[in-house]
Amino acid sequence: MNRLALLIAAAHPGDTAMHHDLVAMDEVLRRRGYREDELLRLDGAQTREGLQAFLGRARDRIAGWTEGQIFLHYSGHGAFWPWDAAAAADARPAWQPEPDTLMLPERWVFWDEVFAALAAPPGVDLVVLPDC
């Protein structure tokens, strides 16, 4: 079976929890039989562009799959826009990878952009575990 785990730890300066989350998730997946070539990791300070490039590399890896599973674990800061959304359905949840960008949603990566960037082919399941 095709499978790929994407482990992202997007830490702001001084954060250590995200790295520890990535290490723990890596260990759990290896115990579950994941091989090194089935794990893609991104750890440390991130930018919108860096995250988009990482997702693009994952998309390229799965582009020809007709079946399989992608496991995405994101550990980092989250946010939603607009701040004044009256209902949850009106807000776009996002990753806030860069420090000091809380009022700059153009620097965030929105979840709908994540799913579009991965473009999982039909028959490929996407399992998401966010920690933000």
Side-chain angles (χ1 to χ4, degrees):
M1 176 173 155
N2 294 314
R3 65 182 179 180
L4 181 64
L6 309 175
L7 306 179
I8 302 171
H12 289 182
D15 289 340
T16 59
M18 291 79 173
H19 170 76
H20 296 298
D21 288 346
L22 184 143
V23 169
M25 189 59 63
D26 186 271
E27 183 178 325
V28 166
L29 291 172
R30 287 176 175 283
R31 287 182 184 176
R32 299 285 303 181
Y34 274 75
R35 300 181 318 262
E36 180 63 29
D37 65 322
E38 295 175 323
L39 298 164
L40 288 181
R41 301 170 199 83
L42 192 61
D43 189 10
Q46 304 301 325
T47 64
R48 175 179 167 78
E49 294 78 16
L51 286 164
Q52 289 173 322
F54 178 80
L55 295 170
R57 288 191 300 277
R59 179 190 59 241
D60 293 346
R61 289 265 309 262
I62 65 167
W65 292 6
T66 57
E67 61 181 21
Q69 184 180 76
I70 305 162
F71 175 74
L72 169 61
H73 177 255
Y74 172 80
S75 180
H77 296 268
F80 64 90
W81 193 258
W83 293 115
D84 61 351
D90 298 330
R92 287 178 70 201
W95 302 350
Q96 189 218 347
E98 301 172 55
D100 303 322
T101 62
L102 195 55
M103 298 308 293
L104 300 170
E106 64 273 12
R107 297 301 306 157
W108 303 350
V109 179
F110 289 89
W111 278 101
D112 57 342
E113 295 175 318
V114 171
F115 302 137
L118 286 173
V124 176
D125 296 324
L126 175 60
V127 177
V128 178
L129 179 59
D131 185 3
C132 49

